[in-house]
Amino acid sequence: DAGVIQSPRHEVTEMGQEVTLRCKPISGHNSLFWYRQTMMRGLELLIYFNNNVPIDDSGMPEDRFSAKMPNASFSTLKIQPSEPRDSAVYFCASGPQGAYGTDTQYFGPGTRLTVL
Amino acid sequence: AQSVAQPEDQVNVAEGNPLTVKCTYSVSGNPYLFWYVQYPNRGLQFLLKYITGDNLVKGSYGFEAEFNKSQTSFHLKKPSALVSDSALYFCAVRGSGNTGKLIFGQGTTLQVKP
């Protein structure tokens, strides 16, 4: 079992550049979550999908952020244009049907983003 | 609104001693409660959860947690701490009437000293 796969693991970019983070959920999981972790704000849910459909994107900070899930095995989180305050660790998590109920979420290793 | 509080930023304990990491919550309806652990430069790992039933829940690595409805608490415990338990611990909650967000606490750093 490969677990949740995220790429890249580290990303350093300059302000104004487009950044794309990628996630492959665990096979068979129907729910996918994007989180952001910072020292100041802790762990924040940005968006979650169920069966590839965005259910709640109220945590997406602003229009510069967008997320897609074109199929059950792939999701992207894009930041355009990036800003230094976007520097954080971004986690993707997946879960079985009902992961937004009683089931467990399984986290990927995260992408550490640094925007200079 | 759902919320979860971890009142201690850090807990220090000597190896071999019992440990407790505190968590209190506020939700509408019955709570679903979770504990996750994060080791340095890693993602969160599931430890245990309470959905219903016995108030004492046993999880991975010898950890357990006790659900106390009257005190709205879900403290994480372990009878004998190991140095390898040193990590960041997150409590999380979701209300049974809600579909969606799992709300995480700010996290508690556990430091176990030899």
Side-chain angles (χ1 to χ4, degrees):
Chain A
D1 184 357
V4 176
I5 299 173
Q6 291 186 247
S7 64
R9 293 293 309 275
H10 302 272
E11 177 79 27
V12 180
T13 190
E14 293 187 348
M15 183 174 62
Q17 296 298 305
E18 177 180 293
V19 175
T20 299
L21 311 182
R22 297 173 176 81
C23 175
K24 177 179 170 56
I26 293 173
S27 178
H29 282 185
N30 297 90
S31 296
L32 185 139
F33 307 80
W34 282 101
Y35 290 89
R36 179 172 66 177
Q37 185 178 37
T38 61
M39 289 293 292
M40 291 294 294
R41 300 175 67 90
L43 195 63
E44 304 172 277
L45 177 66
L46 300 177
I47 185 170
Y48 78 89
F49 295 84
N50 186 250
N51 291 325
N52 312 336
V53 176
I55 303 299
D56 185 345
D57 64 355
S58 60
M60 296 286 265
E62 49 196 275
D63 292 345
R64 297 184 298 106
F65 285 69
S66 62
K68 294 182 179 180
M69 191 165 186
N71 57 63
S73 59
F74 184 65
S75 177
T76 59
L77 178 67
K78 185 175 294 186
I79 308 172
Q80 167 62 21
S82 58
E83 297 182 2
R85 60 193 169 116
D86 302 330
S87 298
V89 180
Y90 291 82
F91 289 105
C92 176
S94 72
Q97 182 74 18
Y100 51 87
T102 61
D103 289 316
T104 302
Q105 296 180 21
Y106 297 85
F107 283 73
T111 295
R112 182 174 296 275
L113 174 64
T114 303
V115 183
L116 303 174
Chain B
Q2 299 178 146
S3 66
V4 60
Q6 294 180 241
E8 302 156 315
D9 289 336
Q10 182 158 330
V11 170
N12 298 309
V13 65
E15 187 173 33
N17 284 359
L19 69 88
T20 299
V21 182
K22 296 180 180 178
C23 172
T24 59
Y25 66 90
S26 175
V27 294
S28 57
N30 293 319
Y32 300 146
L33 294 154
F34 300 77
W35 276 102
Y36 284 81
V37 59
Q38 184 179 27
Y39 298 100
N41 300 314
R42 302 285 296 274
L44 279 67
Q45 297 178 30
F46 169 75
L47 275 180
L48 51 81
K49 65 182 177 183
Y50 171 82
I51 304 302
T52 186
D54 193 348
N55 289 345
L56 185 63
V57 179
K58 294 187 182 296
S60 306
Y61 312 120
F63 283 92
E64 59 188 30
E66 186 168 10
F67 170 63
N68 188 315
K69 187 173 183 178
S70 63
Q71 297 186 4
T72 61
S73 68
F74 189 57
H75 300 332
L76 182 70
K77 300 181 179 183
K78 187 174 182 180
S80 179
L82 300 173
V83 172
S84 57
D85 293 330
S86 298
L88 182 59
Y89 290 81
F90 290 95
C91 180
V93 66
R94 181 188 296 116
S96 60
N98 300 332
T99 57
K101 294 181 180 180
L102 188 63
I103 304 299
F104 284 85
Q106 284 295 101
T108 298
T109 298
L110 173 66
Q111 189 73 32
V112 182
K113 297 184 178 179

